């Protein structure tokens, strides 16, 4: 059996500080817990973050989103854009041109969501890659 090295004092202090912050969050009632779960599932739903990120990076037209989000079908992209619009994450703009021009932009809530997801991106970068975890 391989023994684990003893954590240093700084690491222990950091863990204690994180535990204290989590404890300060206090009790979350059942309704708040359900709302949190629903929000996490929505944000983590396949393609939602990729579509939102494409919008933040400048995609506006449907074809630009399709080009930026590799692997998504047109039908699913249309459905996800509609869901994101219904949730107030993206805004749909229709211009009366010939043909009609439809664009999608991240809303203020969408920009806030992508900012909130950024620490998760940083956290994932600090973790070993999937191939490293499965090889170990």
């Amino acid at each position: 059996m391989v023994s684990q090295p003893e954590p240093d004092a700084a690491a222990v202090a950091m863990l204690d500080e994180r535990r204290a912050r989590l404890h300060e969050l206090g009790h979350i009632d059942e309704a708040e817990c359900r709302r949190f779960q629903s929000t996490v599932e929505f944000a983590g739903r396949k393609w939602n973050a990729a579509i939102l990120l494409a919008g933040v990076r400048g995609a506006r037209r449907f074809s630009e989103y399709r080009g930026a989000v590799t692997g998504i079908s047109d039908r699913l992209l249309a459905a996800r854009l509609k869901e994101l619009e219904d949730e107030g994450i993206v805004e749909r703009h229709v211009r009366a041109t010939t043909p009609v021009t439809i664009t999608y932009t991240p809303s203020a809530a969408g920009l806030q969501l992508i900012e909130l997801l950024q620490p998760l991106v940083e956290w994932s970068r600090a973790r070993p890659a999937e191939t490293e975890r499965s090889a170990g």
Side-chain angles (χ1 to χ4, degrees):
M1 187 165 112
V2 177
S3 65
Q4 296 289 335
E6 290 292 320
D8 65 5
V12 170
M14 184 173 63
L15 285 173
D16 288 344
E17 180 183 328
R18 285 183 177 168
R19 284 187 189 107
R21 277 187 299 186
L22 289 173
H23 183 72
E24 289 173 10
L25 291 175
H27 174 73
I28 298 174
D29 65 21
E30 190 173 327
E32 189 66 22
C33 187
R34 282 194 305 272
R35 182 174 172 88
F36 172 77
Q37 182 69 29
S38 174
T39 301
V40 169
E41 287 175 2
F42 175 78
R45 190 167 187 193
K46 189 169 184 177
W47 305 113
N48 280 359
I51 293 167
L52 183 56
L53 184 59
V56 169
R57 290 181 171 169
R60 295 294 176 258
R61 306 280 310 263
F62 186 89
S63 60
E64 294 170 339
Y65 279 94
R66 185 179 52 223
V69 183
T70 306
I72 193 169
S73 69
D74 287 358
R75 183 176 173 180
L76 189 53
L77 176 58
R80 288 293 192 268
L81 283 168
K82 176 72 173 123
E83 291 169 4
L84 290 167
E85 179 188 0
D86 290 346
E87 290 292 328
I89 303 300
V90 298
E91 296 171 348
R92 182 176 185 258
H93 309 276
V94 180
R95 287 190 316 191
T97 57
T98 306
V100 172
T101 303
I102 300 173
T103 58
Y104 301 88
T105 57
S107 66
L111 294 174
Q112 182 182 24
L113 177 58
I114 207 76
E115 286 177 21
L116 291 170
L117 291 174
Q118 186 59 38
L120 188 58
V121 172
E122 297 301 324
W123 180 77
S124 70
R125 285 182 183 153
R127 295 176 48 82
E130 181 67 33
T131 53
E132 293 173 28
R133 285 194 301 272
S134 61

